[in-house]
């Protein structure tokens, strides 16, 4: 089932300033806290399954003005 949230739905549940602060903080510490990608699978109440692919984070360093990915890829391989 798809649920559509309106602007007023979101602002009644979330504090936009706190959300932006949390998002900015997450970008600041992303290199320090690598997160592996995930695949979440569940059975449905009828035949079949549902799968969600959740991307991970890779450490990024800046070399000569270009971002360079290092560390572990989302699939767990060391690329």
């Amino acid at each position: 089932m798809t649920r559509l949230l309106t602007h007023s739905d979101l602002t009644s549940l979330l504090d936009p300033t706190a959300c932006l602060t949390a998002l900015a903080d997450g970008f600041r510490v992303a290199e320090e806290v690598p997160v592996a990608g995930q695949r979440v699978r569940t059975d449905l109440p009828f035949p079949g399954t549902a799968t969600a692919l959740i991307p991970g984070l890779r450490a990024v360093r800046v070399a000569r003005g270009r971002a360079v990915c290092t560390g572990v890829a989302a699939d767990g391989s060391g690329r």
Side-chain angles (χ1 to χ4, degrees):
M1 173 172 84
T2 301
R3 172 166 276 177
L4 299 176
L5 299 174
T6 65
H7 178 266
S8 58
D9 291 334
L10 292 174
T11 54
S12 71
L13 297 170
L14 302 170
D15 174 13
T17 303
C19 291
L20 289 173
T21 300
L23 184 61
D25 291 345
F27 278 109
R28 280 190 209 93
V29 299
E31 282 187 25
E32 302 165 14
V33 186
V35 177
Q38 299 176 46
R39 180 184 303 225
V40 181
R41 180 194 162 282
T42 188
D43 292 322
L44 297 172
F46 46 83
T49 60
T51 302
L53 301 176
I54 304 169
L57 298 176
R58 293 194 267 182
V60 175
R61 63 183 172 82
V62 177
R64 296 185 187 157
R66 294 175 32 195
V68 178
C69 293
T70 61
V72 178
D75 66 359
S77 65
R79 286 189 260 173

